[in-house]
Amino acid sequence: MPLLRIKHLISDLKQEISDSVPPEDQTRSRLDAIVSEMETEVANESPLAVLPEKVSDWVKEYEATHPKVTRILNDIATTLSNMGI
């Protein structure tokens, strides 16, 4: 199930942020907010219509500074695309 895959990827993203982004890093709170936003949208089983665009923006924003986070975000974007979203 693609939605289950997205949930797993969000969990992976949470773990990666926890492991690799120090709490004092100014981007940490933004990344935590991104995870919360994705969790809320997936938990509500909303159509996820705006999520692909947001994920794409987040990839561009963090690709230079947080490559592992970006890799997971790319996986989420690919999964959403495969779902036809």
Side-chain angles (χ1 to χ4, degrees):
M1 298 199 123
L3 195 54
L4 184 59
R5 169 115 173 99
I6 289 180
K7 289 178 181 180
H8 285 287
L9 288 168
I10 291 171
S11 178
D12 291 348
L13 180 60
K14 250 175 125 165
Q15 187 63 50
E16 181 58 38
I17 292 167
S18 177
D19 291 347
S20 68
V21 183
E24 64 276 1
D25 186 322
Q26 59 186 230
T27 60
R28 174 68 180 262
S29 62
R30 176 66 179 126
L31 289 168
D32 288 340
I34 287 168
V35 168
S36 292
E37 187 174 340
M38 285 192 286
E39 287 177 323
T40 299
E41 197 160 336
V42 169
N44 291 335
E45 296 183 14
S46 61
L48 306 175
V50 296
L51 195 55
E53 184 176 323
K54 288 181 180 181
V55 171
S56 179
D57 290 343
W58 296 327
V59 165
K60 292 173 189 168
E61 185 174 345
Y62 296 107
E63 66 187 342
T65 56
H66 299 288
K68 290 181 181 178
V69 167
T70 301
R71 181 189 50 77
I72 297 169
L73 287 169
N74 272 325
D75 289 346
I76 292 170
T78 299
T79 303
L80 289 167
S81 176
N82 291 340
M83 291 171 64
I85 298 174

